[in-house]
Amino acid sequence: MSGTPVARLVPVSGSQSVLDRMVAEGRATPPAASGPLPVPPVLGDPGIDTAAALVDMREGERW
């Protein structure tokens, strides 16, 4: 044994979550709403393959 510390035992913090502790320290802002986030609306025409349209446009620009 070399006498080098390999760990430190500290008391377990209370029931305060990491987010609650960060908010109390001023390092985070609490969320404005709780629960699952709403799914964003579908934009554009779902029948159009956007990636293929971009490839076609880029191919035309290269030459």
Side-chain angles (χ1 to χ4, degrees):
M1 298 224 169
S2 65
T4 304
V6 295
R8 184 171 68 170
L9 298 177
V10 296
V12 176
S13 63
S15 62
Q16 192 176 33
S17 72
V18 174
L19 177 59
D20 291 336
R21 190 169 61 245
M22 290 180 72
V23 169
E25 294 170 358
R27 297 173 45 206
T29 304
S34 63
L37 295 175
V39 177
V42 176
L43 302 176
D45 184 352
I48 295 175
D49 184 356
T50 308
L54 286 172
V55 168
D56 290 342
M57 290 169 45
R58 289 179 181 158
E59 287 297 324
E61 293 174 357
R62 291 183 185 161
W63 307 109

Short mmCIF file of all heavy atoms in Angstrom, two decimals:
data_model
loop_
_atom_site.label_atom_id
_atom_site.label_comp_id
_atom_site.label_asym_id
_atom_site.label_seq_id
_atom_site.Cartn_x
_atom_site.Cartn_y
_atom_site.Cartn_z
N MET A 1 0.84 -1.18 0.00
CA MET A 1 0.00 0.00 0.00
C MET A 1 0.88 1.24 0.00
O MET A 1 1.80 1.37 0.79
CB MET A 1 -0.90 0.01 1.22
CG MET A 1 -1.85 -1.12 1.30
SD MET A 1 -3.41 -0.43 1.79
CE MET A 1 -4.42 -1.81 1.52
N SER A 2 0.53 2.16 -0.88
CA SER A 2 1.35 3.36 -1.01
C SER A 2 0.81 4.53 -0.20
O SER A 2 1.43 5.58 -0.17
CB SER A 2 1.44 3.75 -2.48
OG SER A 2 0.17 4.13 -2.95
N GLY A 3 -0.34 4.37 0.40
CA GLY A 3 -0.92 5.47 1.17
C GLY A 3 -1.65 6.49 0.32
O GLY A 3 -2.05 7.54 0.79
N THR A 4 -1.83 6.20 -0.97
CA THR A 4 -2.55 7.10 -1.87
C THR A 4 -4.05 6.84 -1.76
O THR A 4 -4.49 5.70 -1.89
CB THR A 4 -2.12 6.86 -3.34
OG1 THR A 4 -0.71 7.01 -3.41
CG2 THR A 4 -2.79 7.83 -4.26
N PRO A 5 -4.83 7.89 -1.49
CA PRO A 5 -6.28 7.69 -1.40
C PRO A 5 -6.85 7.23 -2.74
O PRO A 5 -6.44 7.70 -3.79
CB PRO A 5 -6.83 9.06 -1.02
CG PRO A 5 -5.69 9.99 -0.90
CD PRO A 5 -4.45 9.27 -1.26
N VAL A 6 -7.78 6.31 -2.69
CA VAL A 6 -8.43 5.82 -3.90
C VAL A 6 -9.92 6.13 -3.92
O VAL A 6 -10.56 5.97 -4.95
CB VAL A 6 -8.22 4.30 -4.07
CG1 VAL A 6 -6.75 3.98 -4.30
CG2 VAL A 6 -8.77 3.54 -2.87
N ALA A 7 -10.46 6.58 -2.81
CA ALA A 7 -11.88 6.92 -2.76
C ALA A 7 -12.12 7.85 -1.58
O ALA A 7 -11.30 7.95 -0.67
CB ALA A 7 -12.74 5.66 -2.59
N ARG A 8 -13.28 8.51 -1.62
CA ARG A 8 -13.66 9.39 -0.52
C ARG A 8 -15.11 9.07 -0.18
O ARG A 8 -15.98 9.12 -1.05
CB ARG A 8 -13.53 10.85 -0.95
CG ARG A 8 -13.83 11.81 0.16
CD ARG A 8 -13.50 13.22 -0.21
NE ARG A 8 -14.42 13.67 -1.24
CZ ARG A 8 -14.52 14.92 -1.65
NH1 ARG A 8 -13.71 15.84 -1.18
NH2 ARG A 8 -15.38 15.25 -2.57
N LEU A 9 -15.35 8.74 1.05
CA LEU A 9 -16.71 8.45 1.51
C LEU A 9 -17.31 9.73 2.05
O LEU A 9 -16.75 10.37 2.94
CB LEU A 9 -16.69 7.37 2.59
CG LEU A 9 -16.14 6.01 2.16
CD1 LEU A 9 -16.11 5.05 3.35
CD2 LEU A 9 -16.95 5.43 1.03
N VAL A 10 -18.44 10.12 1.48
CA VAL A 10 -19.12 11.34 1.90
C VAL A 10 -20.58 11.01 2.18
O VAL A 10 -21.12 10.04 1.66
CB VAL A 10 -19.03 12.44 0.82
CG1 VAL A 10 -17.58 12.85 0.61
CG2 VAL A 10 -19.64 11.99 -0.48
N PRO A 11 -21.24 11.81 3.00
CA PRO A 11 -22.65 11.54 3.29
C PRO A 11 -23.49 11.65 2.01
O PRO A 11 -23.21 12.44 1.12
CB PRO A 11 -23.04 12.64 4.27
CG PRO A 11 -21.77 13.21 4.78
CD PRO A 11 -20.73 12.96 3.74
N VAL A 12 -24.50 10.82 1.95
CA VAL A 12 -25.44 10.88 0.84
C VAL A 12 -26.25 12.15 0.99
O VAL A 12 -26.73 12.47 2.08
CB VAL A 12 -26.37 9.65 0.85
CG1 VAL A 12 -27.41 9.75 -0.25
CG2 VAL A 12 -25.55 8.38 0.71
N SER A 13 -26.40 12.89 -0.10
CA SER A 13 -27.18 14.12 -0.03
C SER A 13 -28.64 13.78 0.23
O SER A 13 -29.08 12.66 0.00
CB SER A 13 -27.03 14.93 -1.31
OG SER A 13 -27.55 14.21 -2.40
N GLY A 14 -29.40 14.77 0.64
CA GLY A 14 -30.82 14.57 0.93
C GLY A 14 -31.59 14.12 -0.30
O GLY A 14 -31.04 13.67 -1.28
N SER A 15 -32.87 14.28 -0.25
CA SER A 15 -33.72 13.83 -1.34
C SER A 15 -33.75 14.83 -2.50
O SER A 15 -34.55 14.69 -3.42
CB SER A 15 -35.14 13.60 -0.81
OG SER A 15 -35.67 14.82 -0.32
N GLN A 16 -32.91 15.85 -2.44
CA GLN A 16 -32.89 16.87 -3.48
C GLN A 16 -32.27 16.30 -4.75
O GLN A 16 -31.18 15.72 -4.72
CB GLN A 16 -32.10 18.07 -2.98
CG GLN A 16 -32.24 19.30 -3.83
CD GLN A 16 -31.50 20.48 -3.23
OE1 GLN A 16 -30.47 20.32 -2.61
NE2 GLN A 16 -32.03 21.66 -3.43
N SER A 17 -32.96 16.46 -5.89
CA SER A 17 -32.44 15.95 -7.15
C SER A 17 -31.31 16.86 -7.65
O SER A 17 -31.11 17.97 -7.15
CB SER A 17 -33.56 15.91 -8.20
OG SER A 17 -33.89 17.23 -8.62
N VAL A 18 -30.59 16.38 -8.62
CA VAL A 18 -29.50 17.16 -9.21
C VAL A 18 -30.05 18.46 -9.78
O VAL A 18 -29.47 19.53 -9.59
CB VAL A 18 -28.77 16.35 -10.30
CG1 VAL A 18 -27.74 17.20 -11.01
CG2 VAL A 18 -28.11 15.11 -9.69
N LEU A 19 -31.19 18.40 -10.48
CA LEU A 19 -31.78 19.61 -11.05
C LEU A 19 -32.17 20.59 -9.95
O LEU A 19 -31.88 21.78 -10.04
CB LEU A 19 -33.00 19.28 -11.91
CG LEU A 19 -33.74 20.48 -12.51
CD1 LEU A 19 -32.81 21.30 -13.40
CD2 LEU A 19 -34.96 20.03 -13.28
N ASP A 20 -32.81 20.10 -8.89
CA ASP A 20 -33.19 20.98 -7.78
C ASP A 20 -31.96 21.66 -7.17
O ASP A 20 -31.98 22.84 -6.85
CB ASP A 20 -33.94 20.20 -6.70
CG ASP A 20 -35.31 19.75 -7.16
OD1 ASP A 20 -35.87 20.38 -8.08
OD2 ASP A 20 -35.82 18.75 -6.61
N ARG A 21 -30.89 20.90 -7.01
CA ARG A 21 -29.67 21.45 -6.44
C ARG A 21 -29.06 22.51 -7.38
O ARG A 21 -28.64 23.57 -6.93
CB ARG A 21 -28.66 20.34 -6.17
CG ARG A 21 -27.47 20.79 -5.37
CD ARG A 21 -26.60 19.64 -4.88
NE ARG A 21 -26.06 18.85 -5.96
CZ ARG A 21 -26.36 17.58 -6.20
NH1 ARG A 21 -27.20 16.93 -5.43
NH2 ARG A 21 -25.82 16.93 -7.21
N MET A 22 -29.06 22.25 -8.68
CA MET A 22 -28.51 23.21 -9.64
C MET A 22 -29.35 24.48 -9.68
O MET A 22 -28.81 25.59 -9.80
CB MET A 22 -28.38 22.58 -11.02
CG MET A 22 -27.29 21.53 -11.07
SD MET A 22 -27.12 20.76 -12.70
CE MET A 22 -26.40 22.10 -13.62
N VAL A 23 -30.67 24.35 -9.59
CA VAL A 23 -31.55 25.52 -9.56
C VAL A 23 -31.27 26.34 -8.31
O VAL A 23 -31.15 27.56 -8.36
CB VAL A 23 -33.04 25.10 -9.64
CG1 VAL A 23 -33.96 26.27 -9.33
CG2 VAL A 23 -33.36 24.53 -11.02
N ALA A 24 -31.12 25.67 -7.17
CA ALA A 24 -30.84 26.37 -5.92
C ALA A 24 -29.49 27.10 -5.97
O ALA A 24 -29.34 28.17 -5.39
CB ALA A 24 -30.84 25.37 -4.76
N GLU A 25 -28.54 26.53 -6.70
CA GLU A 25 -27.22 27.16 -6.83
C GLU A 25 -27.20 28.24 -7.91
O GLU A 25 -26.20 28.90 -8.10
CB GLU A 25 -26.18 26.10 -7.16
CG GLU A 25 -25.94 25.10 -6.04
CD GLU A 25 -25.08 23.93 -6.48
OE1 GLU A 25 -24.69 23.86 -7.67
OE2 GLU A 25 -24.80 23.07 -5.63
N GLY A 26 -28.30 28.37 -8.67
CA GLY A 26 -28.35 29.36 -9.74
C GLY A 26 -27.67 28.90 -11.01
O GLY A 26 -27.40 29.70 -11.90
N ARG A 27 -27.40 27.62 -11.13
CA ARG A 27 -26.71 27.09 -12.31
C ARG A 27 -27.66 26.54 -13.36
O ARG A 27 -27.23 26.13 -14.43
CB ARG A 27 -25.74 26.00 -11.87
CG ARG A 27 -24.63 26.53 -10.96
CD ARG A 27 -23.75 25.45 -10.39
NE ARG A 27 -23.35 24.48 -11.38
CZ ARG A 27 -23.02 23.22 -11.09
NH1 ARG A 27 -23.05 22.81 -9.84
NH2 ARG A 27 -22.66 22.39 -12.04
N ALA A 28 -28.96 26.50 -13.06
CA ALA A 28 -29.95 25.98 -14.01
C ALA A 28 -31.26 26.71 -13.79
O ALA A 28 -31.49 27.33 -12.75
CB ALA A 28 -30.15 24.48 -13.81
N THR A 29 -32.11 26.64 -14.79
CA THR A 29 -33.44 27.23 -14.72
C THR A 29 -34.45 26.10 -14.70
O THR A 29 -34.35 25.18 -15.51
CB THR A 29 -33.70 28.12 -15.95
OG1 THR A 29 -32.66 29.09 -16.03
CG2 THR A 29 -35.04 28.80 -15.88
N PRO A 30 -35.42 26.15 -13.80
CA PRO A 30 -36.40 25.06 -13.77
C PRO A 30 -37.24 25.04 -15.04
O PRO A 30 -37.43 26.08 -15.68
CB PRO A 30 -37.25 25.38 -12.53
CG PRO A 30 -37.08 26.84 -12.31
CD PRO A 30 -35.71 27.19 -12.81
N PRO A 31 -37.73 23.89 -15.42
CA PRO A 31 -38.56 23.80 -16.62
C PRO A 31 -39.85 24.59 -16.46
O PRO A 31 -40.39 24.72 -15.36
CB PRO A 31 -38.84 22.30 -16.77
CG PRO A 31 -38.58 21.72 -15.43
CD PRO A 31 -37.58 22.60 -14.76
N ALA A 32 -40.35 25.13 -17.58
CA ALA A 32 -41.58 25.92 -17.56
C ALA A 32 -42.81 25.02 -17.54
O ALA A 32 -43.88 25.44 -17.11
CB ALA A 32 -41.62 26.85 -18.78
N ALA A 33 -42.69 23.80 -18.01
CA ALA A 33 -43.83 22.88 -18.06
C ALA A 33 -43.34 21.49 -17.65
O ALA A 33 -42.16 21.18 -17.74
CB ALA A 33 -44.42 22.84 -19.46
N SER A 34 -44.26 20.68 -17.20
CA SER A 34 -43.89 19.32 -16.86
C SER A 34 -44.62 18.35 -17.78
O SER A 34 -45.58 18.71 -18.45
CB SER A 34 -44.25 19.02 -15.40
OG SER A 34 -45.65 19.11 -15.23
N GLY A 35 -44.14 17.15 -17.81
CA GLY A 35 -44.77 16.13 -18.65
C GLY A 35 -44.07 16.02 -19.99
O GLY A 35 -43.09 16.71 -20.26
N PRO A 36 -44.56 15.13 -20.82
CA PRO A 36 -43.91 14.92 -22.13
C PRO A 36 -44.09 16.14 -23.04
O PRO A 36 -45.09 16.85 -22.97
CB PRO A 36 -44.62 13.70 -22.70
CG PRO A 36 -45.92 13.64 -21.98
CD PRO A 36 -45.70 14.25 -20.62
N LEU A 37 -43.09 16.37 -23.85
CA LEU A 37 -43.18 17.47 -24.81
C LEU A 37 -44.10 17.08 -25.95
O LEU A 37 -44.15 15.92 -26.37
CB LEU A 37 -41.78 17.78 -25.37
CG LEU A 37 -40.78 18.31 -24.35
CD1 LEU A 37 -39.41 18.45 -25.00
CD2 LEU A 37 -41.22 19.62 -23.76
N PRO A 38 -44.84 18.05 -26.50
CA PRO A 38 -45.71 17.72 -27.62
C PRO A 38 -44.89 17.39 -28.87
O PRO A 38 -43.79 17.92 -29.07
CB PRO A 38 -46.52 19.00 -27.84
CG PRO A 38 -45.69 20.08 -27.22
CD PRO A 38 -44.92 19.45 -26.10
N VAL A 39 -45.42 16.53 -29.68
CA VAL A 39 -44.76 16.15 -30.94
C VAL A 39 -44.93 17.31 -31.91
O VAL A 39 -46.04 17.84 -32.05
CB VAL A 39 -45.39 14.86 -31.50
CG1 VAL A 39 -44.78 14.50 -32.85
CG2 VAL A 39 -45.23 13.72 -30.51
N PRO A 40 -43.85 17.72 -32.59
CA PRO A 40 -44.00 18.82 -33.54
C PRO A 40 -44.89 18.41 -34.71
O PRO A 40 -44.97 17.23 -35.06
CB PRO A 40 -42.57 19.09 -34.01
CG PRO A 40 -41.79 17.88 -33.67
CD PRO A 40 -42.49 17.22 -32.53
N PRO A 41 -45.56 19.38 -35.32
CA PRO A 41 -46.43 19.04 -36.45
C PRO A 41 -45.62 18.60 -37.67
O PRO A 41 -44.45 18.97 -37.81
CB PRO A 41 -47.15 20.36 -36.75
CG PRO A 41 -46.23 21.41 -36.22
CD PRO A 41 -45.54 20.81 -35.04
N VAL A 42 -46.23 17.79 -38.49
CA VAL A 42 -45.59 17.36 -39.73
C VAL A 42 -45.73 18.50 -40.73
O VAL A 42 -46.82 19.02 -40.95
CB VAL A 42 -46.27 16.08 -40.28
CG1 VAL A 42 -45.68 15.69 -41.61
CG2 VAL A 42 -46.14 14.96 -39.28
N LEU A 43 -44.61 18.88 -41.30
CA LEU A 43 -44.60 19.98 -42.25
C LEU A 43 -44.40 19.44 -43.66
O LEU A 43 -43.69 18.46 -43.87
CB LEU A 43 -43.50 20.98 -41.91
CG LEU A 43 -43.58 21.61 -40.51
CD1 LEU A 43 -42.37 22.49 -40.28
CD2 LEU A 43 -44.85 22.41 -40.35
N GLY A 44 -44.97 20.10 -44.62
CA GLY A 44 -44.76 19.74 -46.01
C GLY A 44 -45.57 18.56 -46.45
O GLY A 44 -46.44 18.05 -45.75
N ASP A 45 -45.28 18.11 -47.65
CA ASP A 45 -45.99 16.99 -48.27
C ASP A 45 -45.27 15.70 -47.92
O ASP A 45 -44.11 15.50 -48.29
CB ASP A 45 -46.00 17.19 -49.79
CG ASP A 45 -46.81 16.14 -50.52
OD1 ASP A 45 -47.24 15.16 -49.88
OD2 ASP A 45 -47.01 16.30 -51.73
N PRO A 46 -45.93 14.78 -47.19
CA PRO A 46 -45.25 13.53 -46.81
C PRO A 46 -44.93 12.64 -48.01
O PRO A 46 -44.14 11.72 -47.89
CB PRO A 46 -46.23 12.85 -45.86
CG PRO A 46 -47.55 13.47 -46.12
CD PRO A 46 -47.28 14.86 -46.66
N GLY A 47 -45.50 12.92 -49.17
CA GLY A 47 -45.24 12.12 -50.36
C GLY A 47 -43.96 12.51 -51.08
O GLY A 47 -43.55 11.85 -52.03
N ILE A 48 -43.31 13.58 -50.66
CA ILE A 48 -42.09 14.04 -51.33
C ILE A 48 -40.88 13.55 -50.54
O ILE A 48 -40.79 13.74 -49.33
CB ILE A 48 -42.07 15.59 -51.41
CG1 ILE A 48 -43.21 16.08 -52.30
CG2 ILE A 48 -40.72 16.07 -51.94
CD1 ILE A 48 -43.32 17.58 -52.35
N ASP A 49 -39.93 12.93 -51.24
CA ASP A 49 -38.68 12.48 -50.62
C ASP A 49 -37.71 13.66 -50.65
O ASP A 49 -37.08 13.95 -51.68
CB ASP A 49 -38.11 11.29 -51.38
CG ASP A 49 -36.86 10.73 -50.74
OD1 ASP A 49 -36.39 11.29 -49.73
OD2 ASP A 49 -36.36 9.71 -51.26
N THR A 50 -37.60 14.35 -49.53
CA THR A 50 -36.80 15.58 -49.46
C THR A 50 -35.33 15.29 -49.75
O THR A 50 -34.67 16.06 -50.45
CB THR A 50 -36.93 16.22 -48.07
OG1 THR A 50 -38.32 16.37 -47.77
CG2 THR A 50 -36.27 17.56 -48.01
N ALA A 51 -34.81 14.19 -49.22
CA ALA A 51 -33.40 13.87 -49.45
C ALA A 51 -33.13 13.66 -50.93
O ALA A 51 -32.12 14.15 -51.46
CB ALA A 51 -33.02 12.63 -48.66
N ALA A 52 -34.02 12.96 -51.62
CA ALA A 52 -33.83 12.74 -53.06
C ALA A 52 -33.92 14.05 -53.82
O ALA A 52 -33.15 14.29 -54.77
CB ALA A 52 -34.87 11.75 -53.58
N ALA A 53 -34.82 14.94 -53.43
CA ALA A 53 -34.94 16.24 -54.10
C ALA A 53 -33.67 17.06 -53.91
O ALA A 53 -33.19 17.71 -54.85
CB ALA A 53 -36.15 17.00 -53.55
N LEU A 54 -33.07 17.02 -52.72
CA LEU A 54 -31.82 17.73 -52.48
C LEU A 54 -30.68 17.16 -53.31
O LEU A 54 -29.86 17.90 -53.86
CB LEU A 54 -31.45 17.70 -51.00
CG LEU A 54 -32.27 18.60 -50.09
CD1 LEU A 54 -31.93 18.33 -48.64
CD2 LEU A 54 -32.03 20.06 -50.42
N VAL A 55 -30.61 15.84 -53.42
CA VAL A 55 -29.58 15.21 -54.24
C VAL A 55 -29.72 15.66 -55.69
O VAL A 55 -28.73 16.02 -56.34
CB VAL A 55 -29.65 13.67 -54.13
CG1 VAL A 55 -28.78 13.01 -55.18
CG2 VAL A 55 -29.23 13.22 -52.74
N ASP A 56 -30.94 15.67 -56.21
CA ASP A 56 -31.16 16.12 -57.59
C ASP A 56 -30.74 17.56 -57.78
O ASP A 56 -30.09 17.91 -58.77
CB ASP A 56 -32.64 15.96 -57.96
CG ASP A 56 -33.06 14.51 -58.10
OD1 ASP A 56 -32.17 13.65 -58.26
OD2 ASP A 56 -34.27 14.24 -58.03
N MET A 57 -31.06 18.42 -56.82
CA MET A 57 -30.70 19.84 -56.93
C MET A 57 -29.18 20.01 -56.89
O MET A 57 -28.61 20.79 -57.66
CB MET A 57 -31.34 20.64 -55.80
CG MET A 57 -32.86 20.77 -55.94
SD MET A 57 -33.72 21.43 -54.48
CE MET A 57 -32.73 22.79 -53.98
N ARG A 58 -28.53 19.27 -56.02
CA ARG A 58 -27.07 19.39 -55.90
C ARG A 58 -26.36 18.85 -57.13
O ARG A 58 -25.33 19.37 -57.55
CB ARG A 58 -26.59 18.67 -54.65
CG ARG A 58 -26.98 19.40 -53.40
CD ARG A 58 -26.53 18.70 -52.16
NE ARG A 58 -26.95 19.43 -50.97
CZ ARG A 58 -27.08 18.90 -49.79
NH1 ARG A 58 -26.82 17.63 -49.60
NH2 ARG A 58 -27.46 19.64 -48.76
N GLU A 59 -26.88 17.78 -57.70
CA GLU A 59 -26.28 17.23 -58.92
C GLU A 59 -26.33 18.27 -60.05
O GLU A 59 -25.39 18.39 -60.80
CB GLU A 59 -26.99 15.93 -59.34
CG GLU A 59 -26.69 14.75 -58.47
CD GLU A 59 -25.21 14.34 -58.52
OE1 GLU A 59 -24.59 14.46 -59.57
OE2 GLU A 59 -24.72 13.90 -57.46
N GLY A 60 -27.41 19.00 -60.13
CA GLY A 60 -27.54 20.02 -61.16
C GLY A 60 -26.60 21.19 -60.94
O GLY A 60 -26.18 21.85 -61.91
N GLU A 61 -26.23 21.47 -59.72
CA GLU A 61 -25.33 22.59 -59.42
C GLU A 61 -23.87 22.25 -59.67
O GLU A 61 -23.07 23.13 -59.91
CB GLU A 61 -25.50 23.01 -57.94
CG GLU A 61 -26.84 23.61 -57.63
CD GLU A 61 -27.00 23.87 -56.14
OE1 GLU A 61 -26.09 23.53 -55.37
OE2 GLU A 61 -28.04 24.42 -55.76
N ARG A 62 -23.51 21.00 -59.64
CA ARG A 62 -22.10 20.62 -59.74
C ARG A 62 -21.56 20.75 -61.17
O ARG A 62 -20.38 20.89 -61.36
CB ARG A 62 -21.91 19.20 -59.25
CG ARG A 62 -22.15 19.09 -57.75
CD ARG A 62 -21.88 17.71 -57.25
NE ARG A 62 -22.24 17.65 -55.84
CZ ARG A 62 -22.47 16.56 -55.18
NH1 ARG A 62 -22.41 15.41 -55.79
NH2 ARG A 62 -22.78 16.59 -53.92
N TRP A 63 -22.40 20.66 -62.16
CA TRP A 63 -21.90 20.66 -63.54
C TRP A 63 -22.42 21.82 -64.28
O TRP A 63 -23.24 22.33 -64.57
CB TRP A 63 -22.23 19.36 -64.23
CG TRP A 63 -21.78 18.17 -63.43
CD1 TRP A 63 -22.56 17.29 -62.77
CD2 TRP A 63 -20.43 17.74 -63.18
NE1 TRP A 63 -21.81 16.35 -62.13
CE2 TRP A 63 -20.49 16.60 -62.38
CE3 TRP A 63 -19.17 18.20 -63.56
CZ2 TRP A 63 -19.37 15.93 -61.96
CZ3 TRP A 63 -18.07 17.52 -63.15
CH2 TRP A 63 -18.16 16.39 -62.36
#
